[in-house]
Amino acid sequence: MAILKPFKAVRPTRDKANLVVSRSYHIYSKEGLEFRLKNNPYSFLQILNPGYKYDQEINGKKEFNLVRNRYLEFKDEGFFTQDNTPNFYLYKMITREHTFIGIVGATAVEDYEKNVIKIHENTLEKREQLFKEYIDTVGFNTEPVLLTYPRNNILDELFLDIMKERPEYEFSTTDRIAHHVWLINNEDILNTIQNEFTKIDSLYIADGHHRCASSALLAQDYKQNGQFVQGISQNYFMSFLIPEEDLKIYEFFRLVKDLNGLSKKEFLIALDEVFTIENCGLQPQNLKQLHHFNMYLDGEFYQLHLRSRYQEFNNTLDTLDAQILYNLVLQPILGITDLRNDKRIDYLPGNKTIVELKNQVDNGDFKVAFGMLPIDVNQMKRIADEGLQMPPKSTYIEPKLRSGLTIYEF
């Protein structure tokens, strides 16, 4: 059974919500970040980038303390308010291609530790520790972990009824995404939602593995230091939960800076051992099945079809095209062993166009690029159920939520 609790969110006042919310700060270009910091004093980016006030780059513990100070200033100035009673928050996001409807609530560290909340991706210890220190210092989290659950008709009907009422927030952002948020504080409805989640055996992390791991580490610290209190906020973390088939999963393109000392002909010969190779010339072809790959090299597009003798797999992870590409190309031919830290490889989300991929190779930044079909949610679940982890950057998953719309205080 999965635990989901309402909480008292800190959130922007209705008149400032569209000005406060931001995407994750690392998504912005340097110029875009500068523009928003200069022209929008209400942006949550002002909190996340406290050094801007002093025209200085600040890192580490000093930065975390300043983030905390800037957050408290926003509260003191009345930009934020905190709900008096615990709520769930129904969130509807409408993009040009998709509509996402889910619920924001507090999920349990205990469920993460007991594998009720299941992972499919490895985390880096250094990032876990850094984020743990960050949330312990600043005292809040504003980016929900994205979790998915099997579709539930009772919840679907309940959410449709709630959405007949006027939302607390209703605004659009400059990327043409409409945002709607409803507060849920009716006791009967809160109990119904919680009861329905107790019937769910497993939740799956779609995005936010490091945030889950860091929250678990913080809760462990409290226990070891004798500060553990049953039910306190450190035992939970904020999550956004949506039905699993509503996720939009993209692939990541792989871009590699060189051919590991091989000539173009030598590289193609090495690939020929593993794939049948089709030269598509200047026109890329859509992939139609798994274990087929697009490649762009020296001004031409290719399709690589995995030879049948390499299609004997031991587990679900081995069937993933991202894993196949690593096992048969990136590691043995191109010499890339560390997909997270090797500076010779980079990644481009699959929601970008093939033109953007082509341009990055044509301008000389990279020598070769690879594309593949995205995985589906069932593959992701099977990998988590088998206790396996995908290679990094195996999935680019939407929705991507805004920072600053609901804030979870520790």
Side-chain angles (χ1 to χ4, degrees):
M1 56 177 281
I3 300 171
L4 183 66
K5 289 185 57 173
F7 68 100
K8 299 177 183 178
V10 175
R11 50 190 182 83
T13 55
R14 189 197 293 259
D15 63 312
K16 294 183 177 65
N18 65 317
L19 297 171
V20 169
V21 298
S22 72
R23 292 180 290 172
S24 296
Y25 75 92
H26 64 272
I27 291 177
Y28 296 98
S29 66
K30 182 178 179 181
E31 295 76 16
L33 183 61
E34 176 76 20
F35 177 84
R36 286 163 176 80
L37 290 169
K38 181 179 180 181
N39 294 284
N40 183 2
Y42 301 109
S43 173
F44 203 80
L45 294 169
Q46 303 284 355
I47 295 173
L48 300 178
N49 295 266
Y52 177 77
K53 181 177 181 179
Y54 303 104
D55 192 25
Q56 183 178 349
E57 186 173 332
I58 303 171
N59 297 302
K61 185 75 170 181
K62 184 182 294 186
E63 179 190 18
F64 300 165
N65 286 325
L66 286 178
V67 168
R68 175 69 177 170
N69 291 345
R70 203 69 68 247
Y71 172 67
L72 293 176
E73 288 173 11
F74 266 53
K75 292 183 72 174
D76 289 343
E77 293 178 27
F79 302 164
F80 289 144
T81 183
Q82 184 165 26
D83 291 317
N84 294 321
T85 59
N87 297 304
F88 288 128
Y89 304 87
L90 183 63
Y91 190 179
K92 179 180 180 180
M93 179 187 293
I94 305 173
T95 72
R96 281 170 283 186
E97 294 86 14
H98 305 285
T99 296
F100 303 102
I101 299 172
I103 188 166
V104 179
T107 44
V109 167
E110 178 184 4
D111 281 353
Y112 176 77
E113 294 173 336
K114 291 183 176 179
N115 203 35
V116 174
I117 296 175
K118 295 188 175 183
I119 69 172
H120 66 259
E121 182 178 298
N122 278 319
T123 54
L124 296 175
E125 183 178 357
K126 183 176 180 180
R127 284 190 63 190
E128 291 176 7
Q129 293 290 343
L130 182 66
F131 193 68
K132 181 200 75 171
E133 182 181 355
Y134 173 81
I135 58 178
D136 191 31
T137 303
V138 303
F140 67 85
N141 185 22
T142 185
E143 292 191 31
V145 173
L146 181 61
L147 297 178
T148 185
Y149 63 90
R151 183 167 294 284
N152 180 295
N153 291 331
I154 292 176
L155 291 176
D156 284 350
E157 293 175 6
L158 183 60
F159 294 165
L160 287 174
D161 284 340
I162 292 170
M163 288 188 293
K164 293 175 183 177
E165 304 295 327
R166 181 192 177 190
E168 175 71 7
Y169 299 131
E170 184 175 15
F171 60 91
S172 295
T173 43
T174 54
D175 52 359
R176 300 182 183 179
I177 296 178
H179 305 264
H180 306 78
V181 179
W182 290 262
L183 273 59
I184 305 174
N185 51 28
N186 177 280
E187 187 173 349
D188 290 337
I189 296 177
L190 292 175
N191 289 334
T192 298
I193 293 171
Q194 289 182 276
N195 288 336
E196 288 305 309
F197 274 95
T198 64
K199 302 174 185 177
I200 296 173
D201 292 331
S202 299
L203 302 173
Y204 294 84
I205 302 173
D207 190 21
H209 285 79
H210 283 92
R211 275 165 274 160
C212 283
S214 301
S215 297
L217 287 175
L218 183 61
Q220 290 169 12
D221 279 359
Y222 270 72
K223 290 179 183 178
Q224 292 171 1
N225 296 333
Q227 298 171 283
F228 175 77
V229 178
Q230 189 70 38
I232 63 171
S233 58
Q234 284 87 352
N235 301 322
Y236 299 85
F237 53 90
M238 182 171 62
S239 295
F240 178 59
L241 303 98
I242 69 171
E244 57 193 30
E245 62 260 44
D246 292 348
L247 287 178
K248 178 58 181 174
I249 304 178
Y250 297 93
E251 73 281 19
F252 268 96
F253 298 113
R254 270 80 169 129
L255 301 99
V256 183
K257 291 184 179 293
D258 59 67
L259 299 182
N260 196 29
L262 301 174
S263 68
K264 175 183 174 181
K265 287 184 178 180
E266 290 170 333
F267 178 59
L268 290 173
I269 290 171
L271 290 178
D272 192 82
E273 166 66 23
V274 182
F275 303 97
T276 59
I277 303 174
E278 178 185 355
N279 189 327
C280 304
L282 300 178
Q283 185 62 42
Q285 302 296 315
N286 290 331
L287 295 172
K288 297 180 180 179
Q289 65 185 72
L290 295 174
H291 315 329
H292 289 191
F293 302 82
N294 278 326
M295 182 176 73
Y296 184 66
L297 171 68
D298 196 24
E300 294 181 307
F301 289 96
Y302 298 80
Q303 276 209 0
L304 312 177
H305 302 164
L306 186 65
R307 295 187 182 276
S308 59
R309 65 177 178 269
Y310 288 95
Q311 296 191 33
E312 296 181 4
F313 306 114
N314 296 317
N315 53 50
T316 305
L317 179 61
D318 288 344
T319 69
L320 289 189
D321 285 341
Q323 186 72 22
I324 290 169
L325 189 68
Y326 173 73
N327 287 340
L328 300 179
V329 180
L330 298 179
Q331 196 275 334
I333 299 176
L334 294 177
I336 295 172
T337 58
D338 186 347
L339 292 174
R340 291 187 182 275
N341 300 308
D342 195 316
K343 298 187 184 303
R344 295 172 54 229
I345 189 169
D346 206 348
Y347 305 90
L348 186 70
N351 64 344
K352 303 296 184 182
T353 68
I354 199 70
V355 173
E356 293 177 82
L357 178 75
K358 180 179 182 295
N359 288 342
Q360 293 207 39
V361 177
D362 288 344
N363 67 18
D365 290 341
F366 299 93
K367 185 68 176 179
V368 63
F370 301 93
M372 65 199 78
L373 289 174
I375 71 166
D376 62 34
V377 70
N378 290 321
Q379 283 179 293
M380 185 182 78
K381 289 174 61 178
R382 286 197 299 270
I383 287 172
D385 289 340
E386 293 172 22
L388 303 171
Q389 282 83 47
M390 299 182 199
K393 302 296 185 183
S394 291
T395 57
Y396 180 86
I397 297 180
E398 293 182 344
K400 299 292 186 187
L401 302 183
R402 292 302 195 268
S403 294
L405 198 53
T406 55
I407 301 169
Y408 183 82
E409 287 193 343
F410 292 93

